[in-house]
Amino acid sequence: MTTTASASAATSVATKARRLTGGFGGLLGGGFTGFVVRRALGAVVTLFVLSVVIYAVFYVAPGDVAQITCGPRCSPAQVQQVSEQLKLDDPIHTRYLDFLSGIFAGHDYSTGTGVLHCDAPCLGLSYQTDQQVTELILNKVPVTGSLAIGAMVLWLILGVGTGVLSAWRRGRATERILTGVTLAGTATPVFVIGLILMILICGQLQWLPFPQYVPFTEDPQQWAWNLLLPWVSLALIEAAKYARLTRASMLETLAEDHVRTFRAYGVKERSIVGRHALRGALAPVIALSANDFGSMFGGALLTETLFGLPGLGRELVQAVRVVDLPVVVGMVMVTGFFVVLANAVADVLYAVADRRVVLS
Amino acid sequence: MSEALLASETPGAGATKAPVPASGARQFWRRLRTQRAALVAAAVVALLVLVALAAPLLTALEGQDPTSYHPGLVDSARGGVPVGSFGGISADHWLGVEPQTGRDLFARLVYGARVSLGVALAATLLQIVLGVAVGLASGLGGRWLDQTLSRATDVMVALPLMVFALALLAVIPSSVPRPVLVALVVGFIQWGGVAKIVRAGTISLKSLDHVAAARLSGWGGVRIARRELLPALAAPVITYAALLVPTNITVEAALSFLGVGVKPPTASWGQMLTSADVWYQAAPQYLLLPAAALFVTVLALTVLGDGVRTALDPRAASRLRIGTGRKREGGS
């Protein structure tokens, strides 16, 4: 449910809008490279703080990890043994430093009988299966990636298209209808629309199969066919958001003085809307897409669970059910990492888009 | 998702806006009253709140309660399908019964409104309180405090809400009632947006003459915040918060849908949808009613939130009302 992950989008878009209006001189004055470097350093600091916060929250808050890992029938002695194995008795900062060094240098875990090695970007081992968390996550990336990329292409086309259309037809019936539809779209949770679509299309009409993930490398056609419904469900909801954003940014540009000048010079309305106003909407749309792509986990969480796609979101839901802490913490960290990264990239893209607007 | 639009459509999110004058409240009502869509939405929201408040009364009227099992009303031989046509609708059970358990659907739906609205409002309040506190401290505090709090805010904004909430709800050992826990978790995660708005507003207000005068005459931070800053910050914060409510409703529903939010026997709309797909043929209302309830609630709150923004910041709204000069609600 991307609906949720987006207060972050909101604020960062707002920040960017402010940067757009106020921070220009500074940006160009400091040089583009300087800006990129500063932004990258900021991202690194945020990532570090993020990792500390997540680690602290999850390894301090929960109850008896050893007990849960061991299962309900464990004797106190067994629980103690598990706790020692997982080094749960060590002070929290030692464990965090261990964790951090694992990310850069890998880690060896003693199991009592032997040693389990965890390769360089080590996020720990699953309490349940001893599998490396990094490996576990990497295995799921293709599924979530397929879902995210397909849905994103769809929602960008649909959303920006609708936004442009309603800005162009402003004040007419078309716009009123589109505004109503997009409003309804933003008010529908993704799992509601997905559920209803699945029941209608897969259940009643049987136009599509109940989605089952088929790897792209195995059968591209089946891959797309099975993912079509998840794509559409996710895209419909997201498109509504983009349509609103596009329309609002375009209307704002259309109200500006230079557009009035264009009109006075007899530039055609179509060209004003299609070229100049759309350009004004480009930067916020880029910013929001980068952000959404980063926080795709949020949307994918519900979509994957609903359609039973074996991606990152469903993995997290399953890990959460059995309180497999290393997997949960690893997932949250990777998600946060992607969001921070995507935000940094969005900022840079935004600066690029800005400069073009200025130069033209 | 809606606050994404809010923030982007309201440049600076009210940071540099003039303070609301003393007659602000009356002006606000007058401007809100002129918007038909917002009025309808407000009526719907009022009705929903009434239903939530009167839930025990309504179910008493029906003669049912949300948690009693009625094994006689479901056909255990067919996996728990409600007995009778249309999912077991009868004079005793106005909307039928829940598959498998036979719990009264009307009662669960009505009590679900309590959870939905209650959790969302509580979470929003918490988000406002935390956001305002952090934002004010950040804006009024020294450089070091500001840096620390701003970094913390950035981190909170970077955390994807659903992922973090899901993970947190799973590991917190809960002796606390589930709905309270959900509200707390959502509130504690998602205050970054409010904090950013308040910080930006505080910094720009700090340089204004009347605030500077207050500082010079030796007023403390708390007094300045309460007397000079908060009245001026109310408009942008309310605007933002109005759209946090529908978001929080969706979040609660989503978490309950995933099975980590509000758990049975407490009724929640999202939780009802978890198993609804299995029963859609025998009891379609088991799917459609909670879905419709969610949709109507979120839609009404979003439209109302848009209306509130238009009423509080007519200039931003009128920028979007160009062209025909026809009256439209801004930025929806």
Side-chain angles (χ1 to χ4, degrees), chain B residues 312-327:
Chain B
L312 283 174
D313 188 7
R315 266 181 309 159
S318 69
R319 270 203 301 276
L320 302 171
R321 204 185 289 151
I322 5 149
T324 58
R326 201 162 175 183
K327 207 165 70 186

Side-chain angles (χ1 to χ4, degrees), chain B residues 209-256:
Chain B
D209 285 345
H210 64 103
V211 182
R215 280 168 85 90
L216 283 176
S217 52
W219 284 22
V222 176
R223 193 168 170 203
I224 292 181
R226 219 185 43 200
R227 298 281 294 274
E228 304 291 340
L229 300 179
L230 284 183
L233 290 169
V237 169
I238 290 173
T239 306
Y240 188 81
L243 287 172
L244 277 177
V245 182
T247 310
N248 288 336
I249 294 222
T250 320
V251 171
E252 182 276 316
L255 288 170
S256 301

Side-chain angles (χ1 to χ4, degrees), chain B residues 108-221:
Chain B
R108 289 190 78 68
L109 203 65
V110 170
Y111 271 89
R114 287 192 145 190
V115 169
S116 214
L117 294 171
V119 168
L121 283 179
T124 309
L125 271 181
L126 194 57
Q127 289 162 345
I128 294 177
V129 169
L130 284 173
V132 167
V134 172
L136 279 177
S138 189
L140 288 175
R143 193 183 149 78
W144 190 81
L145 185 66
D146 183 27
Q147 280 293 320
T148 315
L149 289 177
S150 294
R151 195 52 71 189
T153 310
D154 280 347
V155 168
M156 292 319 284
V157 168
L159 280 173
L161 171 64
M162 274 303 288
V163 174
F164 202 42
L166 175 78
L168 261 185
L169 280 169
V171 294
I172 296 176
S174 69
S175 44
V176 194
R178 245 12 230 187
V180 178
L181 196 64
V182 174
L184 282 177
V185 164
V186 174
F188 268 104
I189 298 176
Q190 198 76 323
W191 48 265
V194 180
K196 285 197 165 198
I197 289 175
V198 171
R199 177 180 173 270
T202 306
I203 287 173
S204 73
L205 283 167
K206 235 180 5 184
S207 59
L208 293 183
D209 285 345
H210 64 103
V211 182
R215 280 168 85 90
L216 283 176
S217 52
W219 284 22

Side-chain angles (χ1 to χ4, degrees), chain A residues 1 3-4 6-8 10-11 46 58 171 175 179 195 199 237 241 244-245 247-248 251-252 320-321 335 339, chain B residues 1 3 5 7-9 11 151 155 157-158 160 162 164 167 170 190 193 250-251 258 280 287 303 322 326 328 332:
Chain A
M1 155 133 322
T3 100
T4 58
S6 45
S8 50
T11 41
T46 308
F58 283 100
E175 193 226 359
T179 305
L195 201 60
I199 286 173
I237 302 302
K241 195 165 81 180
R244 278 169 66 111
L245 181 66
R247 171 179 171 269
L251 289 187
E252 207 148 325
V320 152
R321 291 213 174 113
T335 313
V339 174
Chain B
M1 50 174 68
E3 77 274 25
L5 304 157
S8 54
E9 285 165 21
R151 195 52 71 189
V155 168
V157 168
M162 274 303 288
F164 202 42
Q190 198 76 323
T250 320
V251 171
L258 288 175
Y280 73 94
L287 164 74
V303 173
I322 5 149
R326 201 162 175 183
R328 260 180 273 143
S332 48

Side-chain angles (χ1 to χ4, degrees), chain A residues 69-155:
Chain A
T69 316
C70 197
R73 274 186 227 144
C74 269
S75 68
Q78 281 170 309
V79 172
Q80 184 55 38
Q81 200 184 341
V82 171
S83 167
E84 268 163 32
Q85 242 174 50
L86 301 173
K87 292 192 180 172
L88 289 175
D89 291 333
D90 284 8
I92 179 86
H93 61 270
T94 324
R95 279 157 58 203
Y96 174 72
L97 287 180
D98 252 21
F99 175 82
L100 207 60
S101 78
I103 293 180
F104 294 106
H107 207 294
D108 285 321
Y109 292 89
S110 71
T111 56
T113 49
V115 172
L116 276 174
H117 183 67
C118 177
D119 297 328
C122 172
L123 292 167
L125 302 176
S126 159
Y127 283 171
Q128 298 285 322
T129 61
D130 284 345
Q131 208 185 348
Q132 297 185 17
V133 173
T134 316
E135 193 183 280
L136 208 96
I137 291 177
L138 282 179
N139 285 344
K140 306 289 175 188
V141 165
V143 183
T144 303
S146 303
L147 179 64
I149 290 170
M152 197 167 174
V153 169
L154 263 183
W155 88 53

